[in-house]
Structure formats: structure tokens, C-alpha cells
Amino acid sequence: MPQERPRYQERPSRLPGAVVWTWDAPEGPPPAPRSVLPDGCMDLIWTGGRIVVAGPDTHAFQVEPQNRASCAAIRLAPGTAPVLLGVPASLLRDHRADLADLWLSPAVRRLTERIEKDPDPAGALERFALDRIADTGPPDPQTVAVAEGLRRGRSVAATAAEAGLGARQLHRRSLAAFGYGPKTLARILRLQRALELIRTGLPYAEAACAAGCTDQAHLAREMRDLAGTTLGAYFAAAGGAGYANSETPQPSGSSTTA
């Protein structure tokens, strides 16, 4: 009996830090609503014949079943999408927008036609992103350093010092690159580190400390504030495996349409 193709698939992109992913909507009744957890990333998503930009979230984003159409997308590392799109991330914070609302119609039409004709829409989005970055240049090295420092659990003050930025400079650049200040990004990335550790089988308390929380209670508060749920409920809804940022049911994370 042939093996059923997984509904969700992903692969590392040729664009540094990015992930290319696809999701095939299931037949029959729509799945239950699912919450998307913030992860600091932004996505470009091809779905329903349009290109949607999923902005950076500061809290869980609820995806309703009727909006779970098949998708092809590229998930961009923190700080990459604003350079690629020419739009500050803060403009898209907690928001999903059609690319047609951000760019002039001729450019969107050309890209839409390009993707429609391609048998691999996700690959077409990836090639578009690579072409755009080749034209615009990569994200600012200081921005990359900030994201990497916070991802590794460095404090905001230490990260700013390592990047050679003052507090006001760091906050201003963070708003443009990530959509929110460095403290918010640090909290989001810390929660994601904890969830990844729990998925490996580490107990909640140990994962909390390893991720940089003071204790399990601290992690529980962050989960309620950023995800709107508890650790137990989150992993129970995910069948015990959890999802990093799942508007589509997969183990690693993505952001689909609103």
C-alpha cells in the first residue's frame, strides 16, 4: 500500500535562516481551530491565488478552519522580511496582509503570474526571495547579531553591547527589523527554546531553567502571556508533540493566512 504523502513538508532554504514549507489542506470536514505561537519570524505565503505576508506576532494568533487552504510559503528569519519587502516589521505586527496592499499592483501582478505558472510555488517564492535579497542586500549585520544573541539566550544589555548599539538605537532598529522591542523578541525566543527542549523529553522545570527562565512558574506565566494557554493544554492539543508556530498542523512552525 503506498505511503500517504505528509500534508506538511518543509526544507531549509538556500536563503540563510529561512525555511520553505508547504501544506495540503485535508479533504472532508475542516480541522479544529489552532493557535499560532509567536516565533519572531515572518512568512510569505501563496494561498488561494494570492500572496499573504504574515507579520510578527506578540501573542497567539488564532487560525479558523475555513481559512486553512493549501499553502506554499517561505518562513523568513527575524529581520529578513523588512529588507526583502521594504516595509518595517512594526507596520505588520500582529497582522496578516495581502502583498497587494503593500506593493504597487504591477509588481504584485508579475510575481503572482510567476508563481501561478510554476509547478513548484514554494520554490518560486524562494527564488523570488533570493532575487530580492540579491538586489537589496542582506539584513544589517548588527540586526543579525542582535537576533542571534537573543536566540542564544544572551541578555538584552549584553546583546546591545556586543552589537555596538545603545539602548535607543537597539530599540529603534528592533522595531523596524523585528516588529517589536528587543525585550519582547527575547521573551518570544526564550519561550520557543523552552518548547523545543520540552519536545526532546526534558521535564518542564528543567526546560524552563535551561531556556533562561527563573523557574517553571516563570515559564508558565510566559506561556499564558504569549500563547494564551498552559503548557499542558498546548501539548495535549498537539497530541503530545507540540508545535512551534502552527497555523498548519506540523511539528516545526509556520504562519498561514488570517
Side-chain angles (χ1 to χ4, degrees):
M1 184 175 179
Q3 187 175 6
E4 184 180 355
R5 179 179 180 270
R7 285 204 300 268
Y8 176 83
Q9 294 183 314
E10 70 172 34
R11 63 172 174 81
S13 171
R14 289 175 290 156
L15 184 66
V19 172
V20 176
W21 60 268
T22 59
W23 188 70
D24 295 329
E27 297 180 359
R34 184 174 293 281
S35 293
V36 180
L37 271 61
D39 64 358
C41 298
M42 293 176 62
D43 291 54
L44 296 181
I45 305 149
W46 172 254
T47 182
R50 62 194 179 112
I51 303 167
V52 175
V53 181
D57 293 326
T58 60
H59 53 75
F61 182 85
Q62 187 85 344
V63 180
E64 297 301 329
Q66 63 268 23
N67 294 325
R68 298 247 188 111
S70 294
C71 303
I74 181 167
R75 184 167 65 250
L76 302 165
T80 303
V83 175
L84 190 150
L85 297 174
V87 176
S90 56
L91 186 67
L92 295 166
R93 182 175 55 237
D94 296 320
H95 187 56
R96 272 57 177 164
D98 278 15
L99 184 61
D101 294 332
L102 305 174
W103 278 15
L104 295 176
S105 297
V108 177
R109 184 169 57 253
R110 287 193 298 270
L111 179 57
T112 299
E113 292 173 351
R114 174 176 165 183
I115 296 173
E116 283 179 336
K117 295 176 181 177
D118 200 298
D120 177 16
L125 275 174
E126 179 185 31
R127 289 188 290 276
F128 158 71
L130 288 165
D131 291 344
R132 282 288 296 177
I133 288 295
D135 289 339
T136 64
D140 180 78
Q142 287 181 310
T143 297
V144 174
V146 168
E148 179 61 15
L150 297 178
R151 186 188 67 80
R152 298 169 79 175
R154 301 285 289 170
S155 70
V156 172
T159 299
E162 289 175 354
L165 295 171
R168 290 184 179 179
Q169 285 180 308
L170 176 60
H171 190 78
R172 184 172 62 252
R173 291 196 181 196
S174 294
L175 287 177
F178 313 128
Y180 28 63
K183 291 184 179 179
T184 298
L185 180 61
R187 292 177 64 202
I188 288 170
L189 297 179
R190 182 174 60 199
L191 177 61
Q192 290 292 342
R193 285 197 306 275
L195 295 177
E196 287 296 332
L197 289 169
I198 293 170
R199 291 188 191 98
T200 68
L202 207 62
Y204 290 173
E206 293 180 31
C209 293
C213 295
T214 54
D215 53 24
Q216 184 175 336
H218 181 193
L219 174 58
R221 289 193 298 272
E222 292 290 81
M223 191 70 182
R224 285 194 298 270
D225 289 347
L226 295 171
T229 188
T230 65
L231 289 165
Y234 173 70
F235 284 109
Y243 300 102
N245 185 11
S246 51
E247 294 189 29
T248 54
Q250 80 284 340
S252 62
S254 68
S255 301
T256 63
T257 57

